[in-house]
Amino acid sequence: MPPFSEPTFQERTQMAAKAKQAALKQLKAQPAVSDEVLAKRKAARLARDQKKAIAREEKRAAFELVKAERKAAKEQAAIEQAAKDKAEAPPPPLTEAEKKAARDLRYAQRKKRRK
């Protein structure tokens, strides 16, 4: 059995050229695609593109809806927090007239108890 020898550069280029020619011959041997088949492929591609566009728009609309719901929930939470803060806030300081009215009321109640 002869020993294995590496192919030379010229042999490798010849083998590559033969392989290329064989591939081209095989490609040319295939029948040409008819116009009907091309039309069907184009129609299928258009239908697929339309489905993708519709799905993309539905997804975008759903995202916008979720975004709007989150915004509404955030606004509602802010309103509730503001109401809670307002309820928990200390009363504003009394004016001099209100202080005088409260003193007069206490004085009148004390007078009434003594009688």
Side-chain angles (χ1 to χ4, degrees):
M1 196 163 141
F4 177 75
S5 65
E6 295 274 336
T8 64
F9 177 74
Q10 291 171 342
E11 290 174 347
R12 288 195 312 259
T13 56
Q14 286 175 356
M15 286 190 299
K18 286 181 184 177
K20 186 176 180 182
Q21 287 299 323
L24 284 173
K25 190 182 283 187
Q26 186 179 13
L27 185 64
K28 288 180 181 179
Q30 291 179 351
V33 181
S34 67
D35 291 338
E36 294 175 10
V37 173
L38 287 175
K40 286 180 183 178
R41 288 181 185 172
K42 186 174 182 179
R45 186 179 331 111
L46 287 175
R48 186 175 57 244
D49 290 346
Q50 287 176 347
K51 283 182 182 179
K52 285 183 180 180
I54 291 170
R56 187 176 26 233
E57 287 300 319
E58 288 175 351
K59 187 176 180 180
R60 184 177 295 134
F63 177 74
E64 291 296 327
L65 180 63
V66 168
K67 191 174 170 183
E69 288 174 353
R70 285 182 183 166
K71 184 177 180 182
K74 194 180 233 184
E75 290 174 355
Q76 183 64 30
I79 291 170
E80 290 174 0
Q81 184 64 35
K84 182 180 175 185
D85 291 345
K86 186 176 181 183
E88 292 176 354
L94 298 175
T95 63
E96 291 299 321
E98 291 171 336
K99 287 180 184 178
K100 183 179 182 320
R103 269 194 318 267
D104 291 346
L105 180 63
R106 286 193 308 267
Y107 178 74
Q109 288 173 346
R110 204 167 41 239
K111 284 280 227 183
K112 190 175 184 182
R113 276 186 297 202
R114 287 186 186 165
K115 289 185 178 185

